[in-house]
Amino acid sequence: MKKILIIDDEVNVALLLSKFLTRNGFDVTTASTGTIGMEYLKNGDFNLVLCDFRLEDTDGREMLKNIKTQYPKTGVIIITGYSDIKMAVELIKMGAYDYITKPLYPDEILNTITKAIETHYALVEDKAEKNNDDKSSRENKKQAFNGEFVLGTSRASRELLRQIELVAPTNYSVIIMGESGTGKESVAKSIHLNSPRYNQPFIAMDCGSLTKELAQSEFFGHEKGSFTGALYTKIGHFEMANGGTLFLDEVGNLSYEIQAALLRTVQERKVKRIGSTKEINLDVRIIIATNENLQEGIQKGRFREDLYHRFNEFSIFIPPLRERGNDIMLLADHFLKLANHELGRHVVSFSPEVVECFMNYRWQGNVREMKNVVRRATLLTEGNEITMKALPLEISNFKMPVHEYGNHTESFEIKEVRHDLKNAALEAEYETILKVLREVNFNKTKAAEILNIDRKTLYNKMKAINIK
């Protein structure tokens, strides 16, 4: 169980956070002052510290210095008000993983904490590797760089690892191409963690969810009062990533006007917040990801050719899961271990029928889909083996098209028909949402429009039925 220390002199805030995180499977300790917090750190091995920036006896800067000096393996997240955002960004550059602004939102907190623990663990492991002369041990650790994407033994996986190792030590901008769900952000993290920038920020930005109005503010930031609704100074993603790596996902969805502004920043390596006259020098490595054909976008006038060539100093293609052969069950076993750890279960294997089904299934959602399927099946399994009845109907009922085997007409069919009315509505909703998400390449905004619900409702439903 992951251990978290909350340091906050607002007792009610600390208590609410503690209850929420405990319900989500964390071992939580609270401290009302920096001094007490340091005492707890002395006596316990904590994975993460959530520290309020303003404390009665000290502040976030001093706490971060002390924690990083005495407990370098412990990650730190700063809790701050809007007025302290500029300082929070400085603290990230000093070694904090991230900051959370008040008021606190449960989903944001949980997502940030989960990523912080995964990323900080990877960073600590990567630093340890540099002192380890055992080459095979070092390569094994590189392969398991986080819980979302695992490099396997297939030829495609070995080639992917070779390319990551080749480009990581450079400052090249990288385009990562692949179907939705193949793990493009995870590959970007691996490049960052194996680069000289590994101890600097890795900032991920989902361009697919940006409106034209919000994009400039998100990229470049803005000064307080620079436009209606600018109630505070906002640090843009370029500035947040300064010294480290900026990862831009679904970059093909950006408007042509924003692409022009982005080109100037990439060329000049300078950024200016909206409403400011001061230019900020940038030292940022840019990695972009796309599941679209940008060359086709150039031909149709949707994507700037000059911007494409700025980004395309090196390109990596991630193969779909269906082309990775024996890696399929290697990944399934990996996600089973993660699910057991998350849910407190002890499921040890997959039935032979499930193994055959997994190997034949097309995995249109790729690694993301497999992770969700295994996670869901682990929750539904009562014994120590995952069977066909724990799989979603779309997988257990899957029939391999005849052309997959030439003239071989056998197909894999479910051997048990389920008439469980309790789960019928859930199954139908699961299949409908997943079908629409696939049709729009997992663009949540488009999916919500098609389903005639708002984005927040879609996120809640995806969470409820274990679609990420």
Side-chain angles (χ1 to χ4, degrees), residues 57-73:
D57 58 340
T58 184
D59 62 24
R61 180 193 288 271
E62 288 303 313
M63 288 299 297
L64 180 64
K65 283 182 182 178
N66 292 335
I67 294 170
K68 284 296 173 185
T69 301
Q70 299 178 43
Y71 311 100
K73 292 185 178 182

Side-chain angles (χ1 to χ4, degrees), residues 70-90:
Q70 299 178 43
Y71 311 100
K73 292 185 178 182
T74 302
V76 180
I77 292 176
I78 301 296
I79 302 172
T80 177
Y82 283 130
S83 60
D84 298 317
I85 286 181
K86 185 174 181 180
M87 178 56 70
V89 174
E90 290 300 318

Side-chain angles (χ1 to χ4, degrees), residues 103-198:
L104 305 175
Y105 296 101
D107 287 346
E108 178 190 358
I109 294 168
L110 194 57
N111 185 49
T112 303
I113 286 174
T114 301
K115 285 190 173 182
I117 289 175
E118 288 180 357
T119 302
H120 194 79
Y121 175 78
L123 287 172
V124 170
E125 289 296 300
D126 192 70
K127 289 178 183 178
E129 286 176 9
K130 297 184 185 303
N131 298 321
N132 187 348
D133 293 327
D134 187 342
K135 183 177 180 180
S136 63
S137 173
R138 181 165 59 251
E139 296 207 348
N140 287 338
K141 287 181 179 179
K142 278 184 180 178
Q143 288 189 28
F145 48 81
N146 69 28
E148 188 175 324
F149 191 90
V150 175
L151 289 165
T153 57
S154 68
R155 179 183 296 178
S157 291
R158 291 198 304 271
E159 175 59 20
L160 178 57
L161 176 60
R162 187 188 71 81
Q163 292 186 24
I164 291 172
E165 290 180 331
L166 190 66
V167 77
T170 72
N171 271 323
Y172 285 6
S173 295
V174 180
I175 297 180
I176 302 174
M177 297 169 287
E179 294 179 6
S180 184
T182 48
K184 294 185 285 292
E185 182 173 348
S186 299
V187 170
K189 283 181 183 176
S190 180
I191 292 171
H192 172 75
L193 293 172
N194 287 279
S195 76
R197 300 172 183 264
Y198 70 91

Side-chain angles (χ1 to χ4, degrees), residues 333 336 340 346-350 383-386:
D333 288 335
L336 178 59
N340 277 326
H346 301 284
V347 182
V348 296
S349 63
F350 301 90
N384 60 5
E385 182 180 73
I386 291 177

